[in-house]
Each structure stands twice: as structure tokens, then as C-alpha cells.
Amino acid sequence: MMASSYNAKEEDGHHSGAVGPGGPGAIKSKKPDNTAFKQQRLPAWQPILTAGTVLPAFFVIGLIFIPIGIGLFVTSNNIKEFEIDYTGVEESSPCHICSQNYAWNNTNPCQCSIPFTLEQPFESNVFMYYGLSNFYQNHRRYVKSRDDSQLNGDKNSLTNPSKECEPYRTNGLPIAPCGAIANSLFNDTLELLYNFPNGTSISIPLSKTGIAWWTDKHVKFRNPGGNNNNLSAAFAGTTKPVNWRKPVYELDPSDPNNNGFINEDFIVWMRTAALPTFRKLYRIIHKNKDMPTLPPGNYTLNITYNYPVLSFDGRKRMILSTISWMGGKNPFLGIAYITVGSVCFFLGVVLLIIHHNYGSRSNNADIPN
Amino acid sequence: MCLQTVIYLSIYLSIYLSIYLSIYLSIYLSIYLSIYLSIYLSIYLSIYLSIYPYPHTPLCRPAKISKCSYLMRCSAHPCLDRIDSGLSIDNDLLPPSLLPPPLHSPALPSPPLPPPLRREMGFVERRWRDVRVGDFVKVVSNEVIPADILLLHTSDPNGVCLIETANLDGETNLKQRKVVPGFAAAPTSPFKPAAFKSTVVCEKPNNDLNHFSGYIEKPDKKKLGFGIDSLLLRGCTIRNTEESSGIVVYAGHETKSMLNNGGARYKRSRLERQMNIDVLFCVVLLFSMCLIGAIGHALWLETFSSIPPYLVADSDGHFIPSTLAGFYMFFTMIILLQVLIPISLYVSIELVKMGQVYFITQDVDLYDEETDTRVQCRALNITEDLGQVQYVFSDKTGTLTENKMVFRRCTIMGTEYSHSENAIRLAVLGEADASEDEVTLFQQQQQPSLFAGDPGESIKRCHSTQVDVSGSQRSKVTTGSQAQSALAFSSPLETEVVPDRKLLQVVLGAEHQGEESGLDRSLYLDFFVALAICNTVVVSTATAQRQRVKGRRNSCAPRTFLGRLQGVLKKIASPQSLFRIVKDKQEPLSDPFAADEECPDLSDTPTIYSTAVEGGGPKTRARVTTAPRPAQRQGAEPGSASLVDDDVCYESQSPDEAALVHAARAYGFTLLERTPDRVTVRLPGRGVALLTYEVLDILTFDSTRKRMSVLVRHPHTHEIILYTKGADSAVMELLEEPADETVSQREFRKGLSSSTQRHLDMYARDGLRTLCFAKRVVGQKAYEEWSLLRQQAIAAIENRAELLMDTAALLETNLTLIGATGIEDRLQDNVPETIEALRAAGMQVWVLTGDKPETAVNIAYSCKLLDQRDLVFTLSTDNKAVCKSRLEGTLQEVRRYGSDTAFRGYAEGLRGPGAGSLGEDPTIGLVIDGRTLGLALEEEDLRSKFVELCRHCRSVLCCRVTPLQKSTVVKLVREKLRVMTLAIGDGANDVNMIQAADVGIGISGQEGMQAVMASDFAISRFKHLRKLLLVHGHWCYSRLSNMVIYFFYKNLAYVALLFWYQFFCGFSGTTMIDYWLMIFFNLLFTSAPPIMHGVVDQDVSAATLLSTPELYKMGQHSEGYRRSAFWIGMVDAFYQSLVCFFIPYLTYRGSDIDIFAFGNPMNTVSLFTIILHLAIEINAWTVVHWVIMLGSVLAYFAVTLAYSAICVSCNPPSDPYWIMQQQMADPMFYLVCLITVVVALLPKYTVQVVRGTLRPSTLLYAKQLERLLPRPQMEEQIRIDASEAPPTPRFRLSDLSSPSPPDSPLPPPPTTPPPHPTPHPPPATSRIVSP
């Protein structure tokens, strides 16, 4: 905008200059406008950074940050989290045998169960995660090995997936869902049993839905053919990913709203994790009305062990966590706030000393004149 | 395999590059090209096409040349054949050069001429580009000469042609060129090219403007030699000569003026040169980052025992080996991190400079009302160089001075006449400079009351007749390029002198009493006669003065009169036999002041008189008339005399001579006519009492003698009188000391010389140019003896110049002092103040002038370039060995002196701060003339010595330098000392210098447009340099350097963010930020603030910058843009990127966050950090700042929100859909943003604060002081400042910034500013030391 006005001005000037000597036309003075903008005299606020002037800022930051930090820290500490590693690398682990079995499409699933004890009750909703370590879901070629328009229900892409999916694009027939991400879908099944002291145990109800973003489930991921209940027909002409045991339309046959591309486990997996150690939401345990969601006691985690991680030195974990407004348990931010607040406060004191000792010369800048 | 990799790479590169290139090219380049180029081109073309007055760079400017010279091509005529055959005759001494220019050589008569013209043999109008060697060209008055032409014919009866060489050497006076001696045809008969049957042989084209030689071989084998005084140089203007014809010897690029054009240099600012090195650092950084990525990727791949599911094979299911993958990764990384190479920086710099240029041109302080011109920025890419200038090379004439000499005071016979009335008039003139018509009115009302006598009357008449012309030339409305060129000539108001009343009475009294008065009286008359005739002034008539003449000029009576007079003289005097005339001519009258024989000629023009009678008034003074004339005309005579006055114009090699002649005229001693043999002066009061002196010889000026003399024979007494005029040092030594004088006479003489010397010293202190006048009566016999010697000297071939000088010195002895004058070369407004300010800003100011050393030194003193206390060394020699030894000697002395002062300064420093300030020591000045300079520049050894010497000097004056030497000096200083140079000049002779310097500044409106066309910036007054450099230069430099450092910082801070992520994604080149957002980040969200910063930020206000020039030193020492600043910026960028990456990383570690949701807060905190980083740098927040800073942040959120709301699956694999919304609904996002920004900026902010408190920079002081003065007061101050007076409260930052113990309160209380350094009573004369 500056440039265009410049252009106009200059041309004005030159026109008058060109016409001036010869032509009889009205001659405009080339005198520049005496405006504050053009003469660079706009009223300005000139902050001068000296100890005296910025002291309050440091104290204010300190005073704000330390309470925030304490709040965050307390909140984080109130979050209950329980984590269990079921990779089975150790020989003592019940899953050791399963872990050695690293074929993807093993026909007879390996089962193992790990008992654990919760010391404290988990109130309110409990979120059940599976965690993977050393799994580089953020590898560049892995990340882009997907076809979003196929996942969005585009018929064309269904039968002709994007080149990005190579080499998981076709397997005779076009693969649906194509790509390396879908191909490596986490396929362990986790079940949670509560063992009553008397030896009986009940299975804890785990909710499969509500674990993906609402927008992902309702906008971004669509089954081909819309709300067609006959998914197998919709996916006709495609084949399952290489590593999968069953086609996509059989991911959750019990619930048509959680089947196919809009299966929430699938959607969660497709949202690739940012870091090589990550967790993904697996199930939600909704809270009971009268008792804690997970009362303290003995539990058993039943695992259908399908997912091989030994090839990349990976670990698999199951995480139970309550949640707060700030998400999962992470004391870092609270500590950071407290630290930064303290540092600012300390700097404020240092500056105060500096100001007191050396600030005399900048003092007279503060004298109102 | 190999093929695959190639394909893979090419696909990969093509995809990425196509995206990047398409975006960069489409958006950046479209902006760049459309805005920048269109503006640049439109400006450039409009300047070039509309203002360019006539083609100096030739042969290629078609349609614009409407004026053409008359040209006759003789292609069908034998003369050209003759010339060609003349070429074929090989001459051993003078190689033939009259070849047609090589460009057009094969088909010489290419432009077909209309056949009828050939038959008629007349001149036809042709364009310059059509002029070829061998053409006959006729140039009429006021035309620019199209090629180097050998003058063969002029309309002047004396065979002379006057040219103005302002375009070549800046001198506005007229120079005389003669027809090739011996070739002159009868002046009355028109020139007939057809009759030319000779062969012209001359030297090869060269760039020496002052030398030319060759000969014409006539058909009868008679050779006629010619020199430079027969050559009309291309680019000069014909003046006062109706028409001149000649043959073209050099055309086009072979002309001397073109060969003197060094050609333009591509200029790049120093900051950009520094920056380019830093760009290289960035490249190195980029490559090392990429290398880390590549090696890291290879190593990472090596860690796997088997293939994990997240490693994606090629389309055929194979995996490439890890080393090869690492190799590929290197290039992937380059594409990923290439933002580090700041391509956008270059575009942004261009935009910033454009904005800066806009504001410079908009500055109303740099606008000149008189000529209605603003400052023009013709070079758009070196604005910041204005802030780094260390050496200023200035032309003198027309740049420092107005080139208007004014007679101010004189001393005659030991009595000083202060001419206070004249001073008052000049003062009034200066004030009312804007409107000269008012002045005219004022003059007309004032003068009659002041001076009832006829000299006043004559002046009044002068004004009323001449001011109208010049007034209209100067008035705004009609000002155009043509009118401007007329401005160069002194306006009559300034050349006119109001006589001192006392002196006037003495003069008139002296005249009344005539001979019966004593020695005193006749000396008074001698003084004025000497004033009038002791010079080389060319007399011309007013009507012939440089008006644009279309076709035939109106011939008028006075012109006819003079022409006739000349004709009469011509008959009497033949140029060869000077001495014969003396014998032949017998003066009939014995009365020394009787009128001449030619008087009746004059009085025979009654038509003029009748118009002039009205102004006559009662005239009774003209009673002493011995001239035989009709009595009834007596009453009209004074009026008629004044009319004659009006019609006489003086053109002089040096303007001071003209000023003296004008002064003499003010007292009635009017120089009426000058030919080589005689000079006619009209005496006052006696009506048309003419005295025609025979000029026996003119001992011309040279810088060794520093004087000139005229040897004349008095018409009545037949005494041979030598009038000498020269520098006081040169004349005072030669005064007579006769042995036989009485005591009282000696006393009187001594008193006379001492009082004169006292007056001279006073004049010198006032900055006036002083000249002493002396006379000597030479006996007939002595003269004859001398003239023999003289003739031998003239005839000598070797050492001719020296012999001439020696003979001149022989005669110039035993002089009688008559008096002395003080002349002022009027400086332009505020020149001393400007130079003082530039000095205070740490700039060395040199003056390079084609003028005489004396003049230059005088000007140097008056414009405070040299101080009376300065130690001035003068180098002037012809001999190389002498030059060398002198250089060495001076250098040693200077070194010794320098170490002395350094020691003294050190000792004073020990005594306490502030005890010794630099200004009190005398500094060193150097005056060097062109020949010595030429010698000094010849050898490498001498060159470095010269430069070394100059480095010790505060000011250097180079006199008598050629245009090429000017540029050589500038180049030498620029290259040897590696400093930033600025050259400022107004004439075509400054073009080379302007182009050679880093910054070339042209002064427009005085002497054509050449300097402006070659310049980078064009201003209209020298005083504008002050604001241009001190304010705009400083601003541009500090803005741009801040901007560039910021840009580097910004790029690295963002790119490093991506780099850190590579450590967490197996160095696979993943970005956690959607690449559209990445591109927008640089392009939209963070591009406007730095550009804005570069265009409008003000570290210190203009008023402060003007009042404290010391602030300018920051730019000179490149403090704004240093390597250290660059690296600090880089380190800060690394730190900030670490913070921006790792705080979100630690926050989200182990959680279920996905890649792009992870990148989103990082992008956001980076934006805030980068914007707020700039906010710390911003010095003054105006509305513009707020709008752009807040606008950028808002744009970020608006674009990101919109993008993530719309893009469902449009940009795989990132799919930004709803990410931003999701994040913004999460309180953690805000908490992360807040703490990250605070942590990232905390060090910068703290360091800034601590430094500002503990070690405040000079700038910070200035800012603080600025706060103390309320804004309006500052504004007032700048107004005062800009007008003339030095600012009342002047901060001396040299005091403030000196290191001192921290507890001493440093800044002085603003209410009591430190006293302005009062000038010490200067010693009587400057010390001129010549080793």
C-alpha cells in the first residue's frame, strides 16, 4: 500500500515537471505535503528499556506466573495415572511368549494376561490408553502414506488410491484403506477385569466411542456411499491392507456407526502421533453413579497380543488415567511456571539493585519536564 | 537403481520446488516485479525522458533532440576525399585519426541526404547522432556543440568564438576560441565549405581536455598549426558568437568529453556487501544442519535390526541402504530448511528501500522553493550508504558557493573603505532572496535617496533594465530546465556594487582637482583604472548575453556601435605586430585624461540618447570636458553613459575579476572594450571621456607568481605602466625600496604597507578573497630591453612556460602599492554550518575543484573547511622528485605533529576527562594542486604516501584538478582507505567523481543536468546534505541494519524449530507445521513488521539527529550492522527456537498429541516470539507500528482459523482440519504460549535492560535527552536549526559517551547546556607551511 501511494506521488511530481517548462497546463508545486506521516512526525511512544522503567514488568510476571505454576502443579498431581508395560521382553513377563511371535497375520491369536493392583480409587471418567515407544509414527514417508480423500469416502479414490500410498496402494485390488499408516494399525485387544477379593472377577465395561475427535468422526472420515449400512458392498472391489486380518468393514461389525473408515480406533490411529513415544486413547471407562470408577483392588489386563514391536525395540503399555482441564498428568508446565516466575522475580530484584546503584543517570529521563 | 534414484530425486525436487517456486515466484516476484519494476521504470523513464535536456550520452536518443546543429555533409564534395587522402598520407609524428567512428565505419555516408541539398551546398539541420568526422558543422549562438569541432570560421570579426565550458569543467565564464591561425577568411564573407581544400591532421582521440594539436595542410603544402584554442569541445555552449563553423575532428564516443566519462559503476551498498557474507554464513549453517540431518538419518536407520512397520518401502517393496537414504536426506533437508537462505530478505530490502526513498523524497526540508525541486533519489538501492559516509568530496564552484563574486571592501592608500551600504544591500538581498522583484522595488526606492549622484543613477538604471529578465528567470512559475541553466550567471543585483560614499567623494574630488592634486589623488584613479583593466575580462553587450536566440538576433545600436568600434580597431591593429602599433599610433592629445578619438563614433548614435534622457536629471558635474563634442548633448551624457553601462557585460575566467570590474564601474570607471591590443575605459563624471590604453603585454596569472600584470601605455602621457594584481604575499614582497627617498617618504610608505597589510588580514579573517594592486612606471628603455627578452621567451620551444614566468618576474619589481580589495565569493546558504555538522559527524570533507588554489583556499576558509588555526601544508610542484620528497617531508612532519598531539591528548586524558577536547588543537589541512596530484597519483609508492598523508589531514583541498583526477582521487581514497565516500557536485565535470564515489550526489539546477543524471541522489542545495546524511542517512542505515539482522534472526529462529524436530522423527524431514502455514508464516504473518520497521522506525528524532551530529558516527563505524550483531542475533535465534520447541515438547511429551496439533502451538509461539522480538527493537511506536504489529497477529489467527475450518482433506498429509479450533479450546495452549514467549524473550529483554542501564549507548542518551525536551520545542529547534543559527541547546554526546566511572552522573542538566565551543581569537594569518 505504501508502494502504490509512492507510485502515484512520484508520477504526479514528474508529470508536473515534464509539463512545467513547455506546456501551458496548470503547474503544481512539487512541494511535499507537510503532514505528520510524510514528514515522519507521527506521534510516537518511545519506550526506553532501562532498569527503572521495566522493573514492574518483571515483578508482575513473577507474581502472575508463580500462582499459575502452583495451580498447574497441584492439578497435575491430582491426576491419577497408572501405567503397565505389557511388551513382554522380559522372560518373567506373562506376555513373553506372545512377544516372540512377530508375524503380523497370525491366525491363532496369542493371549496373555497381566495382573495389577490399583492402590487408590480412580474417580470420574477413566481414560484407557495404549502407549507405544520408539514407534516413529512421525516419519515423513510414513506420515504421508495415506489417502485422505479415500478416507473421506471418495468413490474414485477408493478404487484408485493416491500414489502416496505406495507400496501399500494395491495388492491385486486397490487397498482400502491404503497406505502405511493404515497398514500398521494397532491391533492388540485390551480387556480389563476387576478381581473381587473373593476370587470372582467381572469385566469392566469399556466404551469404544467418543475416543476420536468429533470432527474427525463426522466430517473428515466418511465411509464410501454415505450412510449405507451395507459396507461390504460399499467396499466392493477393494482389498484389506496387507497386515490386516479382516477387511475394514469388519472392524466393528456390532456398531454400524463405528465401522469402516469411521471406526474410532482406526481414526485415532490415523491421527499420527507427534513423537516416537506416544499414547493413544483406547477406551473410556465411564464413571459409575455411586462408587469410584475404578475402586482400589486387584485387576487383570487381558491382552490379545497381535502387534509386534520387537523389530524396532518398541514397548507397549496400557495406561489408565483420569483427566483434568489440563489434560493428562504432566507436572512439567507447573514446574516451569513456578521456575520462570521465580526467575523473573529474582531478575526483578537484581534490576532493582542495579537501578538503585546505577540508575541515577536514567533517572533524569523520568523527570517530567 | 540409479535410474530410480534419479527419478525419485527429480520427482521429489520437482514437487517441492514447484510448490516453493510457484509460491515464491508467483507471490513475491509478482509483488516485486509489478511494484518495484513499475515504479522504478516509471520514475527512471520519466526522469530520463522528460527532464533530460539534451543528449550528452549520445547517438542513441532519437526523438527527443529537437535542436540540431546545422550540418553540412560533404560526402559528395572533394573535401572529404581530401581528408581521407590526408589520412592516407602517413605522418610520422601525428598519426592520423580522422577515421570515421568505428561504429559506422563501413558505410560512412549512411544517412541518405536529400539530393537537392547537395546541389545547393547549404547547411541542413541534422541530429547529433548523424554528425560524423569530416562534417562541416555550423553552430549558432547558445547551441551546444555536438562534436569536437576545429574552428574554421566565426561571425566575429576577430575570428574568435566564445564558449562556455560549464559542462566540462564547471566554470561558467566564457572562454575564447580562435579560428585556426592563418586560416581566417574575411569575417564578413560567409564560410564556404566547398572552398575548403586542405587536409586536417591531428592527434588520436584522447581525454586531455587541455591539450590538442595538429595542423592543416593547405593545397599549397603550407602547414598551419593549431592547438586547443581552436577546438570547440563537445558539450560546451556557444555564447555571444552568432555563428561558428568548423570541421568535425572527433565525433561521438571519440570526443574529448566522452572519453572523460568514466562510465557508470554498479553500486551496491556496503551493508549489502556485508550482508552477503552473512548470507554465506547462513549457507554454511544450512549445509551443516543438512549434514547433521543426513548423518543422523543414516545412523538412525542403522539402529534397526529388522524393518519396523513405520519404515515405508519404495513402490516396489525394496528398501534403500541407509547410507544412500542419508545421502538423499541431505537434499530433503536442504529443501526443508532452505528458508534459512533469506531469499525473501532481498525482496524485503528492496521494498524497504523503496519506502525509505519515498520518505526521503517527501521531506519538506529537502524541498527547495526557489527551483521547486525535491530531493530526487535516483538510485534506489543505496539509501543506507547515506548513513555511513566517512569522506565527503565536494566540488567547490556551484556546490559550496553560488559562484557569485561580490566586491565587498577595499583599501586605498592605507585608508579602508568598508562599503557598509553595499553590505547592507547584500544583507537585504540575502533575506529577500526568495522574491527578487521585491528587491528590485526596494532598490528603486532606496537608492535615489542614498545617492543623488549619477553613479547611483546608473545603478538604478541597471536594475530597472536588467532585473526584469533575470527576475523572471528566477521566479518559480517559469522555472524549467532551460531557465535554470541561465541561473548560473550572476544576477546583476549581486554584481552591482553600491559605492562607498566616502570613497565616492574622494574619487570625484580627485577627478575634479585633476592633475593639480598630489600623489594621492592620481593613485586613487590608478586604483580604479587597475581595477578596470588589470584583468582578462571579456566585454560583451547585454543583448548578446546568453539568451536563447531563435534565428537572427535583433541587432541593436550599441552592438552596432561596438561592432563598428571593433572594426575600426581591427583596421588599425593587426594581431602580429604589437609593437608597430605603438610606434605608428600617434596620439594627438597630451592631456592624460582627455577623451579619445573614437568618441565621435559613439556620439553619432542619437537614437539611444533620446530614450535615455529621461533618467538624466540635473547634471552639472560634466563641466570639465575637453572632448570636442556638441554642447547641446552634455545634459544627456550621464544618462547615455549609463545606458552604455547597461549594455556592457563582463565575462571573465575568474568571477572575481568580473566583480572588480563591476566595482570599478560602480565608481564610474567603466571597462568598455577589450581587444588583444587595447583596452578602453570610460572615466567618471566627464561624460564620455574614454581612455584607450594600448596593451603592450599581459603577464598572465600563474600559481607560482600568484599575480598577474598588465603592461599598458597611457594614451596621453605615453608612460608605460605596469599594473599588477595579485595575492598579498606575492605583491607585498615586490614593493619598491628606492634608495633616494626621504625619511618622511619612507615612513609614509611603510605606514601605507603596514596599514594595508592590517586591512588585508582583516579581510582574510572575514573570509574575503584579497587582492593587492600595485603599479610601476616602466621607462621606455627598460621596456624595450625587457621586451626583447620577452620575445625570446615567447619564441622558445623548451621551457617556454618557465621562461615566460621568469621574464614576467623581471618586470614585476619595485612596485608601488596602490591598494587592496576584498571580494566575497558568496557561499550558498548554511554551507559553513553544514560543513561543521558533517565534521562533527566524523566526516572528512575534501574539496576538489578545478579552480585556482588561491580561490579554493579562500573559500575553504570562509566555509570553515580550514580554520585560521589550522596547520596548512601546500604541495605544488611540477617535478616528480620534488613531489616525492615533499610528500615524504610533509608526511614526516605530520606524523611527528600527530604523535605530539596524540601524546598531549593522552597526557590530558590522564589529567582528567574533558580536560582536553579535540577541537582546541589545530588540525592539519592540505592543499594540493592538480599537477602535483597527477604526479602523486602516478606511482603506487607515492599514492600510498599521499593517502597516508591525507589520512592525517582533517581537510584536503585539491585545486586545478581535471574531472578524471577527481574520480581518481575518490577511487584512491575509497580503495586504499576502505572508506565510504560521498561525492557531491553540480557540473558535468563532477560526473566522474560522482560515479566513482560510493554515494554520488548531484546538485540540480545550477549547471545543467549532467551531474544529476549521474548521481544517486539529487539535491538542490548543499545545505540539504546535512539533513540527508545526518537524519535520513542515519535512519536508513539504522533501520535497514536492524531489519537485516532481524531478518536473519527470524529465518533462523523458525528454521531451527523444524531442525529440532528432526531429532524426534528419525531425521526423516518431517515438518510438524502444515506447509501452507509455514509459507504463510514468512510471507504474510512476519513479513510486514520488519518491512515496516525498516521504513518508518525512528531510533532518534530528526531534531536530535540534527543537533547532535555525533550520532552519525554510529553508522560510520558500522555499529548498526556488525558481524557480532549478526552472530548475537543467530545465537538468540537458536536459543529462542530451542525454547519454542522444547517447552511445547516437554509439555506434550508422552501425550496423545498428533504431529500437526503439536506443531500448531509452536507455530503460534514462534509468531509471538518473533513479533515481540521486533517489538523490543522498535524505538518509537506510532499508529503504523500498532496497526501492522497487531494486524500481523490478527492475520495469523484469522488465516489459520479459516484455513483449518475449510481444509478438510485438501492438504494431505497434514490435514489442518479443526486443529487450530481444537487447540484454542484448550487452556493448555494458552498456558504454553504464554510461558514460551516469556522464556524466549527474557534474555533479550533482560540484556537490553541491563545494557541500557549500565552501559547506555550514545543513542540511548540521545533518546533520554530527547524525552527531556517536549516535542514542540524540538520542532522549533529544528526550524531554527534548519534556517541558520546553531541550535541553542546543543548536546555534546562526545562528552556523554566518554567512558567514566559509573557513579558519576553524566548527562548535563538540560537547562544548562554545555557552552558552545566559542571560537578562539584567531591568530593574524594562517600558517602556511611549505616544506
Side-chain angles (χ1 to χ4, degrees), chain B residues 122-134:
Chain B
F123 283 101
V124 290
E125 278 204 14
R126 279 285 170 269
R127 291 187 177 150
W128 280 29
R129 62 172 180 186
D130 298 330
V131 174
R132 301 277 185 278
V133 171

Side-chain angles (χ1 to χ4, degrees), chain B residues 41 82 106 117 177 198 210 295 438 514 523 536 542 584 599 647 668-669 783 798 865 892 1078 1252 1324:
Chain B
L41 283 180
R82 287 301 176 103
L117 291 173
R177 292 291 198 245
S198 311
N210 297 316
I295 294 169
E438 285 172 31
L523 276 177
T536 53
D584 290 353
C599 291
D647 288 331
F669 294 83
Y783 167 68
E798 280 181 16
L865 189 70
Q892 269 172 10
M1078 258 167 68

Side-chain angles (χ1 to χ4, degrees), chain A residues 292-350:
Chain A
T293 320
L294 291 179
N298 292 325
Y299 292 84
T300 306
L301 176 67
N302 277 342
I303 304 136
T304 311
Y305 199 111
N306 294 324
Y307 205 71
V309 291
L310 286 187
S311 63
F312 51 93
D313 287 333
R315 312 287 285 186
K316 296 198 282 192
R317 292 161 297 145
M318 190 282 300
I319 301 128
L320 293 171
S321 171
T322 59
I323 213 158
S324 74
W325 56 269
M326 59 170 283
K329 188 181 184 78
N330 187 352
F332 167 77
L333 208 56
I335 295 170
Y337 262 93
I338 293 169
T339 315
V340 172
S342 315
V343 166
C344 281
F345 208 84
F346 172 72
L347 280 176
V349 172
V350 170

Side-chain angles (χ1 to χ4, degrees), chain B residues 378-661:
Chain B
R378 297 172 37 79
L380 295 180
N381 58 343
I382 56 165
T383 46
E384 72 276 15
D385 273 356
L386 288 175
Q388 290 192 279
V389 175
Q390 286 156 298
Y391 276 74
V392 174
F393 297 90
S394 172
D395 177 35
K396 183 187 72 70
T397 318
T399 305
L400 298 178
T401 68
E402 307 209 41
N403 205 16
K404 289 167 187 164
M405 297 288 176
V406 190
F407 177 84
R408 290 300 296 267
R409 327 178 87 167
C410 67
T411 168
I412 308 169
M413 299 305 296
T415 316
E416 211 267 325
Y417 298 98
S418 64
H419 288 77
S420 51
E421 296 93 341
N422 196 33
I424 292 166
R425 189 185 69 94
L426 288 171
V428 169
L429 196 70
E431 278 168 30
D433 210 17
S435 159
E436 295 208 354
D437 291 336
E438 285 172 31
V439 181
T440 316
L441 282 173
F442 174 79
Q443 294 290 331
Q444 284 174 339
Q445 287 159 4
Q446 286 286 323
Q447 281 176 352
S449 63
L450 263 175
F451 311 104
D454 43 351
E457 196 65 40
S458 79
I459 287 157
K460 181 197 161 188
R461 292 192 61 81
C462 269
H463 292 164
S464 55
T465 50
Q466 291 200 350
V467 160
D468 293 344
V469 180
S470 68
S472 65
Q473 280 168 348
R474 296 198 73 157
S475 68
K476 271 178 275 181
V477 184
T478 53
T479 303
S481 55
Q482 295 183 356
Q484 275 172 9
S485 65
L487 277 180
F489 317 121
S490 332
S491 91
L493 279 172
E494 277 140 353
T495 53
E496 289 310 329
V497 178
V498 177
D500 192 87
R501 206 180 297 181
K502 200 169 62 164
L503 181 57
L504 192 64
Q505 279 169 5
V506 174
V507 171
L508 293 173
E511 179 211 330
H512 292 177
Q513 281 135 29
E515 297 122 88
E516 72 254 34
S517 67
L519 177 80
D520 283 15
R521 300 297 186 208
S522 72
L523 276 177
Y524 272 92
L525 297 183
D526 271 334
F527 177 77
F528 285 106
V529 169
L531 233 56
I533 67 170
C534 185
N535 50 47
T536 53
V537 166
V538 176
V539 185
S540 60
T541 54
T543 39
Q545 198 196 8
R546 313 163 183 200
Q547 296 159 347
R548 295 264 163 192
V549 183
K550 300 258 187 215
R552 183 156 168 73
R553 210 181 6 216
N554 300 335
S555 65
C556 55
R559 160 97 197 150
T560 333
F561 150 63
L562 270 178
R564 214 183 309 163
L565 195 68
Q566 281 166 346
V568 170
L569 288 168
K570 188 83 187 169
K571 282 172 211 157
I572 302 164
S574 123
Q576 285 95 347
S577 57
L578 204 112
F579 305 100
R580 211 177 55 230
I581 321 162
V582 180
K583 290 179 191 132
D584 290 353
K585 192 149 169 71
Q586 297 299 318
E587 291 294 331
L589 296 169
S590 58
D591 180 7
F593 289 107
D596 226 334
E597 272 185 316
E598 272 81 31
C599 291
D601 272 356
L602 178 73
S603 52
D604 278 346
T605 51
T607 45
I608 321 164
Y609 296 160
S610 63
T611 60
V613 172
E614 47 180 64
K619 297 299 155 201
T620 51
R621 220 167 259 146
R623 55 181 181 243
V624 193
T625 322
T626 50
R629 63 178 62 252
Q632 71 270 19
R633 284 200 191 124
Q634 283 187 10
E637 272 157 16
S640 68
S642 65
L643 189 79
V644 174
D645 271 5
D646 289 348
D647 288 331
V648 173
C649 278
Y650 302 124
E651 299 291 351
S652 161
Q653 298 254 345
S654 63
D656 50 352
E657 286 191 339
L660 290 176
V661 176

Side-chain angles (χ1 to χ4, degrees), chain A residues 138-141 143-144, chain B residues 12 16 293-294 297 300 328-337 1058-1059 1061-1073 1078:
Chain A
N138 55 11
H139 189 283
R140 183 174 51 83
R141 299 198 53 208
V143 165
K144 60 181 194 160
Chain B
Y12 192 80
Y16 260 84
H297 188 64
W300 178 76
Y328 291 159
M329 191 48 63
F330 183 80
F331 297 101
T332 312
M333 287 283 177
I334 286 183
I335 293 167
L336 179 72
L337 305 176
L1058 302 178
F1059 180 65
Y1061 189 58
Q1062 302 311 309
F1063 288 88
F1064 301 93
C1065 68
F1067 303 97
S1068 61
T1070 317
T1071 60
M1072 67 289 197
I1073 299 161
M1078 258 167 68

Side-chain angles (χ1 to χ4, degrees), chain B residues 1186-1203:
Chain B
W1186 289 111
V1187 166
I1188 288 184
M1189 297 293 260
L1190 294 178
S1192 292
V1193 175
L1194 288 180
Y1196 170 75
F1197 281 101
V1199 169
T1200 313
L1201 283 172
Y1203 180 55

